[in-house]
Amino acid sequence: MDTIAKILSFLMFPLFMPLYGVILLFNLEIFSFYPAFYMKGTFLTVVLLGILVPIFSLYILWRFGVISDFRVYKREDRVIPYIFTAIAYFFVSYMLYRLAMPLYVVNIAIGVAFATLIDAIVSLKWKISAHATGIGGLTSAVVSICYLTHANATMLIAILFLATGLLCAARLWLNRHTPAQLLAGFFNGFFSVLLFSFLNFGQFFRYTL
């Protein structure tokens, strides 16, 4: 059972969630008209800035002794890596804006950055689940995009909620979090992304950069 729980935790690692989101996004009919250049640019942006940069910064922080464990099990080790990840996703949102992706996609990336920043602030005093934040954000992104584009993805949303349950069960089994920490993480990810999806916040790039 430990092995299954660890596999689920790895497959649903927080930094992988935006990548899954991009893959799902590409399967929407509305994006079938986008040139391959934009789709490849979006994919590379998320992989490089949203995954590799946070992982590399985590490794550097560990090598220089800023954090005690590369896996950041300790609450106090999570604050700085979360801040770095939030900054990385702010740049992801900017690059998506430059790639002329729809504003709701840009806004979702900003929502991810905001949720990660909330995790960082909460981690100053309390351990919140980044895994739950990640899958909460992914679920919210799918719900928001389906609403905004009138796409029907009822089955996909149901699968995501099932995956959320399995992930939370895995984290509980491994004694990584309490139910409260998992709920807090999920609601942070879900409502942060939902809020920014409808704010059109990405437009501020037009006036500031």
Side-chain angles (χ1 to χ4, degrees):
M1 192 65 182
D2 281 2
T3 301
I4 295 175
K6 289 177 180 178
I7 290 173
L8 286 171
S9 293
F10 175 76
L11 291 177
M12 290 184 269
F13 186 64
L15 292 177
F16 295 163
M17 293 297 111
L19 178 60
Y20 297 154
V22 168
I23 293 171
L24 293 174
L25 192 69
F26 288 173
N27 285 284
L28 289 178
E29 185 178 355
I30 188 175
F31 289 98
S32 63
F33 302 102
Y34 267 66
F37 168 79
Y38 293 101
M39 309 308 282
K40 290 178 181 178
T42 300
F43 182 82
L44 288 174
T45 295
V46 172
V47 170
L48 293 176
L49 293 179
I51 299 177
L52 296 182
V53 167
I55 290 176
F56 181 71
S57 64
L58 188 65
Y59 175 76
I60 294 298
L61 290 170
W62 173 63
R63 288 291 296 174
F64 281 88
V66 178
I67 58 176
S68 60
D69 192 333
F70 182 73
R71 295 165 294 183
V72 290
Y73 287 149
K74 294 182 180 179
R75 171 187 56 80
E76 53 272 21
D77 282 344
R78 298 184 169 200
V79 177
I80 296 177
Y82 285 178
I83 291 173
F84 279 13
T85 302
I87 293 172
Y89 267 95
F90 177 81
F91 283 104
V92 167
S93 65
Y94 173 69
M95 290 302 299
L96 294 179
Y97 176 79
R98 296 289 295 177
L99 285 166
M101 295 299 288
L103 276 178
Y104 56 79
V105 177
V106 178
N107 294 333
I108 285 172
I110 296 175
V112 172
F114 182 79
T116 307
L117 186 60
I118 293 296
D119 275 359
I121 294 171
V122 172
S123 294
L124 291 169
K125 295 293 183 181
W126 190 60
K127 191 176 183 182
I128 187 171
S129 174
H131 276 80
T133 299
I135 199 164
L138 176 60
T139 303
S140 181
V142 171
V143 170
S144 301
I145 290 174
C146 287
Y147 177 82
L148 292 167
T149 63
H150 307 288
N152 185 0
T154 304
M155 183 59 68
L156 175 58
I157 293 170
I159 290 172
L160 285 171
F161 275 109
L162 175 61
T164 298
L166 292 173
L167 175 61
C168 289
R171 303 306 286 171
L172 288 171
W173 179 267
L174 295 171
N175 293 315
R176 296 288 185 256
H177 292 288
T178 65
Q181 292 166 351
L182 290 164
L183 283 171
F186 180 82
F187 285 126
N188 174 35
F190 189 91
F191 287 109
S192 292
V193 170
L194 188 69
L195 173 66
F196 280 88
S197 295
F198 292 95
L199 279 181
N200 286 330
F201 197 74
Q203 293 189 70
F204 92 98
F205 288 129
R206 186 176 303 165
Y207 306 107
T208 60
L209 296 173

Coordinates of all heavy atoms in Angstrom, one line a residue, residues 78 127-132 168 171-182:
R78 N 9.8 24.9 3.4 CA 8.9 25.1 2.2 C 8.8 26.6 1.7 O 8.4 26.8 0.6 CB 7.6 24.5 2.4 CG 7.6 23.0 2.7 CD 6.3 22.4 2.8 NE 6.4 20.9 2.8 CZ 5.4 20.1 2.6 NH1 4.2 20.6 2.3 NH2 5.6 18.8 2.6
K127 N 1.6 23.7 8.3 CA 1.9 22.9 7.1 C 0.6 22.7 6.3 O -0.4 22.2 6.8 CB 2.4 21.6 7.6 CG 3.0 20.8 6.4 CD 3.7 19.5 7.0 CE 4.3 18.7 5.8 NZ 4.9 17.4 6.3
I128 N 0.7 23.2 5.1 CA -0.5 23.1 4.1 C 0.0 22.2 3.0 O 1.1 22.1 2.6 CB -0.9 24.4 3.6 CG1 -2.2 24.3 2.8 CG2 0.2 25.1 2.9 CD1 -2.8 25.7 2.4
S129 N -1.0 21.4 2.4 CA -0.6 20.4 1.4 C -0.5 21.1 0.0 O -1.4 21.6 -0.6 CB -1.7 19.3 1.3 OG -1.4 18.5 0.2
A130 N 0.8 21.0 -0.5 CA 1.0 21.5 -1.8 C 0.4 20.6 -2.9 O 0.0 21.0 -3.9 CB 2.5 21.7 -2.1
H131 N 0.4 19.3 -2.6 CA -0.2 18.3 -3.5 C -1.7 18.6 -3.7 O -2.1 18.7 -4.8 CB 0.0 16.9 -2.9 CG 1.3 16.2 -3.2 ND1 2.4 16.5 -2.5 CD2 1.6 15.3 -4.2 CE1 3.4 15.8 -3.0 NE2 3.0 15.0 -4.0
A132 N -2.3 18.9 -2.6 CA -3.8 19.2 -2.7 C -4.0 20.5 -3.4 O -4.9 20.7 -4.1 CB -4.4 19.2 -1.3
C168 N -5.5 12.5 -1.8 CA -5.6 12.8 -0.4 C -5.5 11.6 0.5 O -4.9 11.6 1.5 CB -6.9 13.5 -0.1 SG -7.0 15.2 -0.8
R171 N -1.8 10.7 0.7 CA -1.1 11.6 1.6 C -1.4 11.3 3.0 O -0.5 11.3 3.9 CB -1.4 13.0 1.3 CG -1.1 13.5 -0.2 CD 0.3 13.2 -0.6 NE 1.3 14.1 0.0 CZ 2.6 13.9 -0.1 NH1 3.1 12.9 -0.7 NH2 3.4 14.8 0.5
L172 N -2.6 10.9 3.3 CA -3.0 10.5 4.7 C -2.3 9.2 5.1 O -1.8 9.0 6.2 CB -4.5 10.4 4.8 CG -5.3 11.7 4.8 CD1 -6.8 11.4 4.7 CD2 -5.0 12.5 6.0
W173 N -2.3 8.3 4.1 CA -1.7 6.9 4.4 C -0.2 7.1 4.7 O 0.3 6.4 5.6 CB -1.9 6.0 3.2 CG -1.3 4.7 3.4 CD1 0.0 4.3 3.0 CD2 -1.9 3.5 4.0 NE1 0.2 3.0 3.3 CE2 -0.9 2.5 4.0 CE3 -3.1 3.3 4.6 CZ2 -1.2 1.2 4.5 CZ3 -3.4 2.0 5.1 CH2 -2.5 1.0 5.0
L174 N 0.4 8.0 4.0 CA 1.9 8.2 4.2 C 2.2 9.1 5.4 O 3.3 9.4 5.7 CB 2.5 8.8 2.9 CG 2.5 7.9 1.7 CD1 2.9 8.7 0.5 CD2 3.4 6.7 1.9
N175 N 1.1 9.6 6.1 CA 1.3 10.5 7.2 C 2.0 11.8 6.9 O 2.7 12.4 7.7 CB 2.0 9.8 8.4 CG 1.2 8.6 9.0 OD1 0.0 8.8 9.2 ND2 1.9 7.5 9.2
R176 N 1.7 12.3 5.7 CA 2.3 13.5 5.2 C 1.5 14.7 5.7 O 2.0 15.8 5.9 CB 2.5 13.5 3.7 CG 3.5 12.5 3.2 CD 4.9 12.8 3.5 NE 5.8 11.9 2.9 CZ 6.5 10.9 3.5 NH1 6.3 10.7 4.8 NH2 7.3 10.1 2.9
H177 N 0.2 14.5 5.8 CA -0.7 15.6 6.1 C -1.9 15.1 6.9 O -2.2 14.0 6.9 CB -1.2 16.3 4.8 CG -0.2 17.0 4.1 ND1 0.4 18.2 4.5 CD2 0.4 16.7 2.9 CE1 1.3 18.6 3.6 NE2 1.4 17.7 2.6
T178 N -2.5 16.1 7.5 CA -3.8 15.8 8.2 C -4.9 16.2 7.3 O -4.7 16.9 6.2 CB -3.9 16.7 9.5 OG1 -4.0 18.1 9.1 CG2 -2.7 16.5 10.4
P179 N -6.2 15.7 7.6 CA -7.3 16.1 6.7 C -7.5 17.6 6.6 O -7.8 18.1 5.5 CB -8.5 15.5 7.4 CG -7.9 14.3 8.1 CD -6.6 14.7 8.6
A180 N -7.2 18.4 7.6 CA -7.4 19.8 7.6 C -6.3 20.4 6.6 O -6.7 21.4 5.8 CB -7.2 20.4 9.0
Q181 N -5.1 19.9 6.6 CA -4.1 20.5 5.7 C -4.4 20.2 4.3 O -4.1 21.0 3.4 CB -2.7 19.9 6.1 CG -2.2 20.3 7.5 CD -1.1 19.5 8.0 OE1 -0.8 18.4 7.5 NE2 -0.5 19.9 9.1
L182 N -5.0 19.0 4.0 CA -5.4 18.6 2.7 C -6.5 19.5 2.2 O -6.5 20.0 1.0 CB -5.7 17.1 2.6 CG -4.5 16.2 2.8 CD1 -5.0 14.8 3.1 CD2 -3.7 16.2 1.5

